[in-house]
Amino acid sequence: MSSGRIRVAGPGELGEGERERWRALRAASEAPRNPFMEPEFTEAVGRVRPGARVAVVYEGLDPAGFLPYERGPLGQGRAIGLGVSDAQGAILRPGLDLETDRLLRACSVSSFAFDNLEAEQRLFARYAAEEHATYVIDVEKGYETYESVLRSQSPKFLKTTLAKERRLGRQGGELRFVFDEREPAALRTLMEWKSAQYRRTGRRDRFAQEWITRLVGQLARTRAPECSGTLSVLYAGERPVAAHFGLRSSSVLACWFPAYDPEFAKFSPGLVLHLRMAEAAAADGIGMLDLGRGAAEYKDALKTGELPVYEGAVTRPGAGAALHWLSREPTRRAHSFVRSRPRLASLAARTLKGAARLRRT
């Protein structure tokens, strides 16, 4: 279907010319080349989410912009893959004059919700309700430079982690790191570890949702220059002790699902894994690892900087706007209230862990 100069299609219905234009617009963007913003990610979501759509904005016969999104059963819109995607927004020609209300009407949605909107998204940024930090590791100048930064800002952390790595090798078996593992069993092991971690900490198990498990499977088979599924595994002997699945472009490794075998927790294999990922990424020409939003001790120890991302929604006037507010805002505000109060956030985390232990007994 179409609405003037805006065409709405399923992700798999885009022509090769449109996909190439999408990639060219991303290449011209000031934002990091995050693989979540590439057409391959949207196409993978489209295979597992029936509400996935792409609005294509034309100038004459030429595509000038794209908005990947999902349309809910009541006409509410949201960023493609919202809940798991770590970079969101529209892909637009610089300077493109576009009205959000007209775009949403063409998409047949009453709202467009986001929780990891890129900072450069001028079309939607003014509708943000909150700003969050996404933590990044800069390896543009090589791993040795990054390690020197860690020695300066976190000397105890680096010394301790490297010592644990040596002990793990002595006690667990010779260490072997694979940056891009293709063994399906390793991915299944990672998902089992991650599910157990979610349950152990009282959080919602993402891999209990079939569409997320299927999406990861789709992306594990995706091999494109700017969006490639990447499974990294740290082995002790022949046994995997830590693993991570994420997406990479030519310049960004988007960290997504890290986990480790709890039996080896005293060796901090997850931290060792991240150091080896940074080393391998730098050697492969990647300049940045994006650890995602959400505070965590390991992110504070590993990061070299932060980038802003935004959470919020743009809505059209009417009943749809009220429906969006009722379905999302009370929960978002409650989460924001807790996050802004460290003692309350710590209490909430302990409560979740305690509830998880009770469920297991």
Side-chain angles (χ1 to χ4, degrees):
M1 61 182 174
S2 63
S3 177
R5 294 157 60 200
I6 301 177
R7 181 175 77 93
V8 174
E13 297 170 349
L14 297 181
E16 185 54 36
E18 290 171 319
R19 291 193 293 270
E20 284 302 315
R21 178 58 173 160
W22 180 326
R23 296 183 187 106
L25 290 173
R26 278 305 291 176
S29 171
E30 298 175 357
R33 194 80 186 259
N34 195 300
F36 284 104
M37 295 292 288
E38 297 296 321
E40 289 81 10
F41 176 74
T42 292
E43 289 167 5
V45 175
R47 297 186 192 104
V48 301
R49 300 284 284 178
R53 300 287 186 273
V54 180
V56 186
V57 183
Y58 281 87
E59 289 182 316
L61 298 177
D62 299 321
F66 302 84
L67 177 66
Y69 69 98
E70 295 182 48
R71 186 180 187 277
L74 299 178
Q76 295 170 284
R78 64 185 210 166
I80 196 82
L82 188 142
V84 295
S85 55
D86 286 349
Q88 300 158 358
I91 298 88
L92 305 175
R93 175 185 64 74
L96 179 66
D97 185 17
L98 186 62
E99 297 178 356
T100 55
D101 187 64
R102 178 170 177 261
L103 180 59
L104 265 58
R105 282 201 311 272
C107 294
S108 299
V109 296
S110 57
S111 58
F112 177 74
F114 48 85
D115 62 1
N116 276 289
L117 186 76
E118 287 185 326
E120 290 76 10
Q121 293 284 328
R122 297 177 180 86
L123 182 64
F124 298 120
R126 63 183 181 274
Y127 300 103
E130 290 187 78
E131 177 180 316
H132 303 281
T134 186
Y135 301 91
V136 299
I137 298 174
D138 182 357
V139 290
E140 185 72 38
K141 296 180 180 179
Y143 179 75
E144 292 76 14
T145 300
Y146 169 57
E147 201 172 81
S148 69
V149 171
L150 287 184
R151 291 186 192 281
S152 174
Q153 71 180 25
S154 308
K156 183 178 179 181
F157 158 77
L158 182 62
K159 182 179 180 180
T160 301
T161 303
L162 293 178
K164 288 181 177 180
E165 181 179 27
R166 291 190 293 271
R167 287 202 301 273
L168 175 59
R170 289 194 298 268
Q171 298 181 33
E174 182 179 358
L175 296 186
R176 179 169 60 94
F177 172 75
V178 180
F179 184 45
D180 189 9
E181 175 65 89
R182 305 296 178 90
E183 174 54 57
L187 182 59
R188 291 193 295 271
T189 296
L190 168 60
M191 290 193 287
E192 290 170 2
W193 286 343
K194 198 66 181 177
S195 287
Q197 178 190 340
Y198 286 134
R199 295 192 298 270
R200 193 166 60 245
T201 56
R203 298 182 180 181
R204 178 170 54 91
D205 180 3
R206 288 182 172 181
F207 289 115
Q209 299 180 69
E210 182 185 2
W211 77 269
I212 295 179
T213 300
R214 290 174 57 205
L215 176 62
V216 168
Q218 291 279 342
L219 291 166
R221 296 187 293 273
T222 299
R223 293 289 182 269
E226 301 301 336
C227 182
S228 183
T230 304
L231 174 65
S232 300
V233 184
L234 179 68
Y235 293 92
E238 295 302 314
R239 181 173 178 176
V241 295
H244 165 268
F245 180 77
L247 301 177
R248 63 158 293 179
S249 69
S250 58
S251 56
V252 176
L253 174 61
C255 301
W256 206 12
F257 292 112
Y260 60 86
D261 186 339
E263 186 176 331
F264 294 87
K266 66 180 180 180
F267 300 107
S268 300
L271 293 175
V272 174
L273 174 76
H274 276 82
L275 290 180
R276 297 303 138 236
M277 284 166 52
E279 183 178 30
D284 211 25
I286 293 172
M288 187 180 83
L289 283 73
D290 185 342
L291 300 174
R293 60 170 270 198
E297 288 186 14
Y298 81 94
K299 293 182 183 181
D300 281 333
L302 291 164
K303 72 178 183 180
T304 58
E306 301 175 3
L307 295 174
V309 292
Y310 299 100
E311 180 177 355
V314 53
T315 60
R316 292 167 55 199
L323 180 61
H324 165 81
W325 196 97
L326 289 171
S327 64
R328 293 189 64 90
E329 280 301 298
T331 301
R332 186 195 65 76
R333 293 189 180 194
H335 287 171
S336 177
F337 181 84
V338 172
R339 284 195 303 266
S340 64
R341 291 159 175 80
R343 291 182 62 186
L344 188 57
S346 178
L347 175 61
R350 291 197 301 271
T351 301
L352 283 172
K353 290 180 181 179
R357 285 194 295 270
L358 286 175
R359 286 197 295 271
R360 294 198 298 271
T361 58

